[in-house]
Each structure stands twice: as structure tokens, then as C-alpha cells.
Amino acid sequence: MRAAAPALRQAAEGLVIPAGALLAALVVFGVFMAAIGQSPLEVYALIYRGAFASAFSWQNTLARAAPLVLTALCVALPAQAGLMIIGGEGALVLGGLAAAVIGHQLAGAPPAEMKVAMVLSGMVVGATWIVLAGALRQYRGVNETISSLLLGYIAIAVFNHLVEGPLRDPASLNKPSTAPIGDASMLGTLPGLDVHWGLGFGLIFCVAMYVLVHHTTVGFALRVVGGNARAARLSGLRVGALVLGACALGGAAAGLAGSVEVAAVHGSANASLIAGYGYSGIVVAFIARQNPIAILPVAVLVGGISASGGMLQRRLDLPDATVLVLQGVAFMLILASESLYGRFRVFQPARA
Amino acid sequence: MADLGWWGVPIGVLGGAVRVSTPFLFVSLGECITEKSGRINLGLEGILVMGAMSGYAVSYLSGDPWLGVLAAGAAGLALGVLHGLVCNLPRVNDIAVGIGLMLFGTGLAFFLGKAFVQPKAPILPAIALGGWSGSPQVRAALQVNPLLVIGVVLALGLAWAFRNTRWGLVVRMIGDSSDAARAMGYGVLRVRMLSTAVGGFLAGVGGSFLSLYYPGSWSEGLSSGQGLMAVALVIFARWNPLHCFYAALLFGGASAVGPALQSVGITWGYYLFNAAPYLVTLGIMIATCSPRHTLAGAPGELSINR
Amino acid sequence: MSESFGQMHRRELLKGLGAAGTLGALAALRSGRAAAADKLVVGVIYVGPRDDYGYNQAQAQAAAAIKKMSGVSVVEQEKVPETTDVQKTMGSMIEQDGATLLFPTSFGYFDPHILKMAEKYPKVRFAHCGGLWTEGKHPKNVGSYFGYIDECQYLNGVVAGHTSKTKKIGFIAAKPIPQVLRNINAFTLGARSVDPKITTQLIVTGDWALPVKEAEAANSMIDQGVDVITCHVDSPKVVVETAERRSISVCGYHANQAALAPKGYLTGAEWNWVTPYTMHVQDAMTGRPLVNFLRGGLKEGFVKTSAYGPAVAEGARKNADAVKAQMVKGDYVIFRGPLKDNTGKVVIAAGTMHKQTDTMLEQMNYLAEGVIGKV
């Protein structure tokens, strides 16, 4: 092991420590379950069954993972620049609204153009919203965690106001929605799967972002800014542009998630769009330690845990918040495990 | 009852300020202590919800709402200690831990609170301050709850303590310059953890107000960002406990604007009016922050200022 | 060492897959066994918590009743949002629990979720609570059931009209959609049938479950002089408790909240979902086709009223009982002309009667005269 390249060691460290933290989270959760009178093994088995045991569970897991991949990017990309943005929910709903509006305005256009327009409009609006939080931080010193969350709440209020007011489809009586985009314009499912294209977009976005962040000069500059903004500025890097660029990309990802929800699931924008995907994305991003490639398997894991919530409810009569507890414990332990990096000798480069 | 007409709006807002400001007050005072010691705890939202649930649960199980308040504080204390311990580990970012605590605390509260959504727990009594008024509306608006009184006393006490006691000085020194404090032999990590724990206790008590007084019932939609707004409130109040009180009143009033306007007939845009507290918070933050110089009164070690 | 590294890797992988496969097979066996028992498996899906003293609790009470029927087993899942989550939940109840009759109870589950699942599983029955099923447009294995609870809100209004001393009553609504508007108008019409000078103060909170906003709305109404309130939100618990604390009267909704307001609870408009639930279960057990459009009011036993509280005067009781008797016979029409809305426009012409089954009523978009507020 000592002879292996330092890069391999780092990669191994980056896999083993989080995996260990997740295992520890399972154990802690098991103890908690035992304390309330449930058999931890039965709970684990049900989680496995609900998430990964059959083709059906896998479809369920992947369907849930799809929006999480994109909303996690909304946290992970600004994090590369040192910003902690948690307002992805706001970008998602506004992006979805934009897609629904464009979809309706362009009624009659060829479906391919329509879909592109919807997806792009969602990304643009989502990007704008998160850039707002980034700009407030960059030029006004406002803490971006607080401002992005506040902007998230404000976005939801604006969304509700528009959907139930000026943009409401008069035919959508008992469930106020914007005008439907029509079946022809809806995004389909991935070939062979029962999961919509959101997963495909997420996969492409993650890979692209990973390449951008870890294998290009721009990505390197971004990470330097994230490490030490002052030093970056002194070295002549254009900090403002990089920070806002990262925010724009993250916001575009969340906005894309929103437009996919509209274009692939609902067909119009309504209150069902506000489903907490933004917040679950935060969990995914942190467990993946803000690494775009790691977001993919972590989203599947978190999606799987959420998917198994139904089984836990139906078979063991446990509340739906059970999976929230597991995710919360995993989150905290992953954060605590940050202190373990560099402590284990097996991962350190061989001493000469 | 006499028809108040347009006077209903300011009275409604005043009533809202008195009613809804208490959780803001407690949470912000707690966060004030934590931030003065150089740590930021964004997990207050989770602690608030956990406090609301445990307060309600214990009040129901024991029949005494004050015991519920104490239990809420204890729950907040425990979560605050958790935050402190994890943040004390090297290389751990306190903002990230706060976000994690927010999710963990909320999830745990919903999980344990499932059994308490239905039952009706005894709630805190009120102190009628408006007895002098002939108008029932003014009397109702001035129905003050004892926690608010305790909160005001606490705010005054904290303001005095930060200036005049040894502990206040120690906390402030650790918040301003951990090197200086270490040089003088004070355990930086220990003090920070204690401040976070105390902050958590107060935030838990603030949460118990929601479930044990107003609205006086436990359910999962109880808090919608109040914990986080309280953190913004502390920055707005320039880390001064007394200003926290005024700011809490302001935020409480902003929360009541929506329904007060509707009750006099202004029904347009109720979603936007309901977003008033968030808009006020954001506006205040934009107006008072600056990228160049640190804010007057800001603890030097606070990670959001570096 | 390095050569066997690769071999070890592959072996571990295969072992892992094998273990996963075995576990998976075991899992399939277990779920297979669950379906083998010859009971009718019914799945019930709630959008919120089952014990919310409101909408979901009313559904849960019906589910509890059919659980007691022999030959029926019920699986329930709560807090399922109106997204693909509910599609997956329905799918997993069908595939993993063997459910053949589903009650997805939230309004927003219908389009597109139930429709998609109904196409995918044509042998499964989907009974949706709402009222959107249209002949020719929607698949045959979907049905919608709903109750005319506005009849009970009318009775609430009658009692409120007798009880109010300030002649101001209040209604806290979540969203101004037709079902809610129908309730608001019925409440107002009931009160104004007692005294035409009564006005209803309306406050819209914006969403189905916002406890702080609901408490604020109740308080500001009461500040404005309202002394009887009712509501249409998912969980009336906060409204009822706030009313009791401020010593005014309150009419319940969805389920019975009398326990929360021993002094101020007048009466309440409750669902009696056990009636349509039982009908659907019996149809499923005997193989009769699914009834696609199921509606009923007091007459058919789809809704009921709560017992009168201590604050209800004798005159109010008599009046309400008389109207109720007519409704049970099917003789009473709430929405009849001439009726103006609160902007003065005539919405029901003189001589026109909209009986409860009239689908025009399900598209209501106005507030009746006497309601202070805008739609």
C-alpha cells in the first residue's frame, strides 16, 4: 500500500473515511432504533429492500435521486468558491415557473425547440436567483447562507403569488396551476427505465462539473478562491467573476431540476413543485464532500434511504421522519469525520 | 366589540409584535452569547423545533407547562453541546455543522413528536397588561406571556453582564482574539462549547414558547425559518442584547402584517405580505453589512466576518 | 501481491453481488408470502399526518373502520407529497404489498399521478377523494368520491347566525379554490338565513397547513369584532384552540374538535368517509365494477354534523335540526337564485336552483354577498 501513488492514497482516504462515517451513522441509527424498541437488523433489512432489493425499488431510488443530483450541485459548486449556499429550493421553484411559462407561451412550436427553451429558461432564472445571493456576499458582505435561505423563502412566496394570481390557468380550479404545456412537450423517460430525463441531465451536469472543477485552469482558480479569497485576489485572480460564475452554475443546476419537474412530471407549475428537493440536496452535497462526481452515488444512497421510508412506515409503523433522522446523523458524522483526514498513517505518503 | 376599522392594523401589528417576538428574542439572545464567543450556530432552527416538541411533550406528560419549558431548554442545551463538540474538532466548519444540526434537530423533533400531534397539553398562562383599556382588542394585544418578561430581564442582564462581569469579559475576549485568550490561559474550546450550550438552552426555551403559548400546539409546520432569522437578527442588532429585544419586536410585528391587513380588507398579494419578515430581514442585512470593514461590535473570530 | 490484488477485487465484487442477490431473493420471497394470504389489500395514502384533527384524520377514521371488516387488510402511508413520490408509493403498495384497491386521499394526487398509475396497472382500482373524474377522459379503473360538506357548513352558519352577538362571523381559508369558496358561501348563506345583516370576514392564509398564520388570522379577526369563526384548512386544531382561548365560539370542520374547545364549540361539519370507503371495498370484494363518480351529502351519509355544544341555544338547535331534516330528505337547495356576489353582480338568476349534484357548483369562483374579502 505504501508504494502506491500519493494520488491513489488521497483517493482512498477520500473514500474510506466517509464510508466509515456512513457505517458509523448506520450503527448510531441502529442503537437509536433499539432504544425505541425496534430491531435494528429488521430496520436495515427493510431499508435495503425499499431501496435496492428489486428492480422496482431501484426505479424508486433512481427517480428520487434525479432531482437531488441537480440540487446538490447548487450547494457543491458555490462551495468550491468558498460559499455555502443553501437556497436551492428557491432557484428550483422559480426555474420550474419559468419553464412552465415559456412552455405555455411557445405553444405550437416544434417539441424539440420547446423542450430546449423550457430547460434553458429554467436554468437562466435559477442561475439569476443564486447569483443574487452570491453578489450580495461579494459586494455587500452579506452572509450567503442566511441570504440564500431568505431568498429561498421569498422565491416561494413570489412563486405562490404568481401561480395563484396573475399566471393562474383559469381552468385549473381546485389546484391552482399555470397553463399546461401540453403532452407533446413533456420530457420522456430514459430508455429502458421508468425514470425521467432529469437523471440523465444530472449525470451529464455532474461529470461536466467534475471535469471543470478538477481538470481545468478555471476550476483550479475557483478552488484557489475557495481556499483563500485574499490570496487569490492578491495573485490577480478575478475573484468576483469566479464566485458569481460558480453561483450561476449552481443556480442553473437547481433551475434545471425545477424545469425538469415541470416538463417531465407535472406539466405545469403549481404548489406540488415545492417538495423539499433543495433541502435534501444539501444533505447530498455535504455527504459527498462537495465533490461533483461523488454526488452521483451519494444521491442514489440518499434517494434510496428516502425511498425506503415508505416501507418503514407501512411495515413497522415508524414515522416518515425516521429517514430524516438517519440522514441527519449521517450528515453530522460526515462533518465530524473531517477532522480525521491526515490522521491515519496508512494514507500518508511513504516517508523517505 | 367596537369596530376598529383601520386602527385594527397597528393594533394587530402591535399584538403580533408582543406575541410573536418572544421566540425571536430568546433565540437571538442565545445566539448573541454564542457569537460573542466567536462561534456561529446556524442550527438554531433545529434547536427551536426540538425545543418546541420537547416542551409540548413534557408539558403533556407531566401536566406542568413550566416543566415543559425546562425540558425544552434541556433539549436545546444537549443539541448545543453537540454543536460545540463537533465544532471543537479540528478543521470542522461551524457553518456546515449548523446546517447539519438544523436538519438533524428538525428530523429528530418530527420523529419523536409524532405521538404528540394529537393530544392537548397544558399551556403557559398569560399576564394581562392591558387591563387599563376598555377595548377588548387592546387588552388582547397586550396579553403578555411570562416568557417575554423573562426575556426582557435576560436581555438587560446580559447587556450588563457582558460589560461588567469577568465571564462576560472572558467570552468577549475569546470571541475577539482567541490567541490573546489562550495566552492568558483560558480554554478557548471549552468556553465556546459552554456558550453554544447556553445559547442552545435559550433557543430551546424560545421554541417552547411556540408550542406552549402561541400558537400553543405542536405540529410540524410550527417554525418556518424563525431560527435562521434570529441569527440575522443578532447581526442586525450589532451583538447588543438590548438591541436584540427591539429587533425581535420588529420582526414579530412584520410577521403579523399579512393577516392584520387582510382583516381590514386588503386581500391582494397576501403571499407577498406573508413574506414580509423575510424581506425585512434581508433588507436589514443588505443595509447593515459591508464587505470592507467589519461591522462595529463584531467579534473578531466569527467565521462569517473573516 | 499486486497480481492477486486484481483477483481479490473481482472475487470480492462477485461475493458482494451474490450476497445482494440472495438478500434480494429472500426479500422477494417475503413479499410474495404477504400477498399470498387471501385478503383484499387496501392501500391508503395521506398527504399529511394521520392525527391532525382534520382532513387526514377524517380519512384515517374511515381506514380504521374498514380495517375491522373481515377479509380486509389495510396498509397506510402518511406525509406523501404530491410529486412522483406518490406514484412510487402507489407502485410499491401494488408491487410489494399486493394492494388492489388504493385510496390516495389528497386532491393533488389525481393529475398526473393517479392517471399515470391507473394506466400502468389497469387491474388495480384507484378511488380518489376529490371529484375530478370525467367520463370519456379518464380511465375506467379510477373513480372519484366526494361529499357535499357545504350542507354541514350551511348548518354551521345557521347555528353561528343564532349565536353571534356582534353579527360578525369569520372564515379562515387556506386557498380560494372552488371547494373552499363553496364552503365559505354556504356558511354565509346559512348565517344570513337567520339574520340578513350578518357579514363574514374572510382571511386567506395561502397554504393548507400554516399554524402560525392561522393563529394570527384568528386573532386579527377577533380583534375586529368577530365572535364565531370556522375554517377550511387541513388541521383546524390551531383555529379551534385560539378561539377557545379568546373565549369566542367556533364551528369545527373535517373532524370533531369538540374536545379542544369544550366551551366554545358549537357544532361542526365532518366527513363520514366510512360510507364511500365501505362501498368501494365491498365492490372490490364482490368483483362489481368500480363506481366512477360517487357523491353524497347528509342524505347518503357521506357527511355528518357534530353534536351541539353547550353554547348552542334552543332556538338555534331547532332551526338547524329543521333544515337538516329537509336536507336529509333531499329537499333543501342551498344555492338558489336570486343570489348576488359580494361585488353586486348577480351570479344565480332568480328562479334558478342549483341542487347539490349540479356540477356548476364545482366551479364556483365568487364570494356571496355578505363575505368581506376578495376571491
Side-chain angles (χ1 to χ4, degrees), chain B residues 35 92 138 189 199 211-212 222 228 271 279:
Chain B
E35 290 193 16
V92 176
V138 177
L189 293 181
S211 60
L212 289 177
L222 215 52
L228 220 72
Y271 282 115
L279 288 164

Side-chain angles (χ1 to χ4, degrees), chain A residues 2 12 23 82 85 121 171 184 322 327 329 339:
Chain A
R2 291 274 156 85
L23 231 64
I85 300 262
S121 57
T322 314
Q327 287 173 6
V329 171
S339 59

Side-chain angles (χ1 to χ4, degrees), chain B residues 209-233:
Chain B
F209 171 86
L210 287 173
S211 60
L212 289 177
Y213 187 76
Y214 189 82
S217 139
W218 161 250
S219 74
E220 296 187 6
L222 215 52
S223 173
S224 47
Q226 273 108 315
L228 220 72
M229 281 194 269
V231 176
L233 208 162

